[in-house]
Amino acid sequence: MNWNDLEWLRSAPSTCGHQRRAHPEDAARAVDAGADGVIVSTHGGRNLDGLPATIDALPRVVEAVRGRIPVMLDSGIRRGTDVLMALALGALCVFVGRPYIYGLAAGGAQGVERVMNILRDEFAAPWRLTGRRSLAEIDSSVLWLKQAGETPIRFFVRCGGCMNGTAHHKVLIFSMMS
């Protein structure tokens, strides 16, 4: 896929594009090319040791799009506090995959429900501790940073629908696969 393909993808209903690296310049280019949103993702795993985790790439991608389109996070969400950290770093929402698969394998539908409840509870308690009354109030001030601009070392995390519960948005998936 290249940037010229985005116009064609936008003409197809409910289409997702796929870009091979999560770089801030690509996110800015996605905005210019007309993407409705970006998903920062490793698309199942980092292939190279030196690539950043999605949570580390997220702040730069958020900065690059400057609020013009939603930024979402996929990959690396294992606990509720991961969700809070992603929201605090500027993600509109997160996508959860592996924990649900683990729950399904361990206990079928009940296992998935249990995982959802655990994630919700693991998110709710730290959210309350931040003193924020709504999801909209969650920002980077809920994080302890090593130094300004560095990855959080302590954090406190969003469950729920993405982009107002609509599914018609076309998004460009930024993946760190080589």
Side-chain angles (χ1 to χ4, degrees):
M1 181 182 149
N2 63 48
W3 292 106
N4 296 326
D5 296 328
L6 184 57
E7 184 176 338
W8 173 79
L9 285 170
R10 288 187 53 74
S11 70
S14 299
T15 302
C16 289
H18 182 183
Q19 176 63 27
R20 296 188 73 76
R21 62 190 182 117
H23 195 280
E25 290 175 12
D26 286 334
R29 192 166 182 188
V31 173
D32 295 340
D36 292 318
V38 294
I39 300 173
V40 180
S41 174
T42 60
H43 197 63
R46 292 181 278 170
N47 290 351
L48 298 172
D49 289 341
L51 291 175
T54 54
I55 199 72
D56 296 326
L58 178 63
R60 291 180 181 168
V61 172
V62 168
E63 182 180 330
V65 303
R66 297 190 313 266
R68 297 175 288 173
I69 59 176
V71 176
M72 296 149 279
L73 183 82
D74 184 33
S75 303
I77 301 298
R78 300 294 181 267
R79 16 185 122 65
T81 52
D82 296 334
V83 180
L84 182 62
M85 186 162 70
L87 295 176
L89 293 173
L92 172 69
C93 65
V94 301
F95 298 95
V96 178
R98 283 190 192 165
Y100 291 159
I101 299 299
Y102 298 153
L104 182 64
Q110 290 177 340
V112 174
E113 184 177 356
R114 174 111 171 93
V115 166
M116 292 170 58
N117 289 334
I118 289 169
L119 284 172
R120 184 195 62 228
D121 294 345
E122 287 179 348
F123 168 71
W127 176 22
R128 285 190 300 270
L129 291 172
T130 68
R132 305 311 191 271
R133 289 182 236 149
S134 71
L135 293 176
E137 292 179 11
I138 297 172
D139 61 18
S140 62
S141 68
V142 304
L143 306 173
W144 278 13
L145 301 177
K146 293 178 187 175
Q147 293 180 347
E150 289 188 7
T151 303
I153 55 172
R154 293 271 184 204
F155 46 87
F156 297 102
V157 184
R158 167 176 162 166
C159 292
C162 173
M163 295 190 295
N164 300 322
T166 60
H168 68 277
H169 294 275
K170 294 158 193 82
V171 297
L172 193 62
I173 299 172
F174 282 89
S175 175
M176 289 185 250
M177 291 180 66
S178 58

